[in-house]
Amino acid sequence: MSTLTAPTEAASAAAGRPSYRVTGRGVLASEWAKLWSLRSSWITLGLSLLLLLAFGLIAATRYRSEIGAGRMNPDFARQTAVGLSLFGTNVAQLTLGVLGVLVTAGEYSTGMIRSTLVAVPRRLPVLWSKVAVIGLVSLAAATAGVSVAFLFGSHLVSGTPGAMGFSHPGVVRSLLGAGLYLSLVSVIGAAVGALLRSVAGGISVLVVTLMLIPGLATLLPSSWRDGISPYLPSNAGESMFALTHDATTLAPGTGLLVFIGWTALALAGAAYRLMRSDA
């Protein structure tokens, strides 16, 4: 009797258990909900937009006020509406990179990653979904931020040598390149966060990689510096949205390929650790 009852009870329990199937769309929806449920996401995105707008408008206002005074720095005097509007990218890259770190490393710090991996046992779809969500959100926010900054900045410098409009050759490419660069920075942040599993560690690596290493590269002998500096992540990324180029910088397409290579390297490291290490 007990032999017959056990399979029957197991079948009944299985029939009463809700069945579900893990799909890519479901994982994406889950990561989308997680991103917007965190207050830090709203704060970081808002801060990124504020920095893009504030730095761009401050630079354009300073240019307008000093252009006829004769006391402007020669390098600053050669700026255009595009360059002035993109002054905030160097700071916004850190905030969006931090957002990427929080998306992945934040789950490890709270322990929520264990529940996530129980729900999605294959693991890699979790990483790809996080990367896709943060990349698309950052792309939309950054592109909107630099476009609005240019819209107001070009109005402020109208009638000056730096005046430009959207129809000027290279302007749209520069603005889209800046949005794409900031988006890929957030993806790198997510990859570094997943690789190190530490918010503090991920942010530190971002600061060193994007800001300290390019500065240290200037101390190298010129023969080394000219061969290494253009291929550093931040310098290759800057060439994606620079309006003009010279012999010491990469072309926009080459800079994009180099920066995608750095992004792919970070994602490969994150994927390897996710598959090989326990949560």
Side-chain angles (χ1 to χ4, degrees):
M1 177 66 69
S2 60
T3 305
L4 296 174
T5 302
T8 303
E9 292 177 350
S12 300
R17 185 184 303 129
S19 60
Y20 67 92
R21 188 165 62 92
V22 177
T23 63
R25 180 179 297 181
V27 179
L28 275 172
S30 173
E31 295 303 328
W32 178 268
K34 286 181 191 176
L35 177 67
W36 297 114
S37 65
L38 296 174
R39 187 183 305 170
S40 59
S41 300
W42 293 91
I43 293 174
T44 312
L45 279 173
L47 183 59
S48 301
L49 288 171
L50 178 62
L51 291 171
L52 287 171
L53 292 173
F55 275 77
L57 294 180
I58 291 171
T61 302
R62 177 190 166 193
Y63 179 90
R64 178 75 187 194
S65 64
E66 295 183 3
I67 188 62
R71 65 178 188 276
M72 185 185 295
N73 182 286
D75 291 334
F76 192 68
R78 288 192 292 268
Q79 287 290 340
T80 63
V82 172
L84 296 169
S85 301
L86 298 181
F87 257 61
T89 54
N90 286 334
V91 185
Q93 68 180 347
L94 289 181
T95 57
L96 289 175
V98 167
L99 178 60
V101 172
L102 292 174
V103 165
T104 51
E107 284 203 33
Y108 284 95
S109 63
T110 61
M112 187 177 179
I113 189 64
R114 289 188 288 271
S115 300
T116 299
L117 296 181
V118 167
V120 190
R122 292 178 61 188
R123 295 195 173 194
L124 283 184
V126 174
L127 178 61
W128 306 144
S129 296
K130 288 182 181 295
V131 165
V133 168
I134 189 59
L136 290 175
V137 169
S138 298
L139 177 63
T143 304
V146 297
S147 299
V148 173
F150 176 77
L151 183 66
F152 287 101
S154 60
H155 178 72
L156 287 172
V157 301
S158 62
T160 68
M164 282 184 173
F166 282 103
S167 60
H168 192 280
V171 169
V172 174
R173 190 265 305 163
S174 294
L175 297 178
L176 293 178
L180 181 58
Y181 168 68
L182 293 174
S183 171
L184 291 176
V185 167
S186 70
V187 170
I188 290 178
V192 171
L195 177 62
L196 300 182
R197 302 182 176 184
S198 166
V199 173
I203 294 174
S204 299
V205 168
L206 280 180
V207 171
V208 170
T209 302
L210 298 177
M211 305 194 78
L212 295 185
I213 291 180
L216 293 174
T218 61
L219 303 178
L220 295 173
S222 59
S223 59
W224 292 17
R225 182 178 64 249
D226 294 342
I228 295 175
S229 183
Y231 297 94
L232 296 176
S234 57
N235 292 340
E238 185 177 350
S239 68
M240 294 167 54
F241 57 86
L243 195 61
T244 59
H245 299 82
D246 54 35
T248 63
T249 60
L250 300 177
T254 306
L256 174 60
L257 292 177
V258 170
F259 199 70
I260 288 177
W262 284 110
T263 306
L265 183 64
L267 287 172
Y272 180 83
R273 184 167 189 197
L274 183 62
M275 292 297 295
R276 296 292 182 177
S277 302
D278 294 332

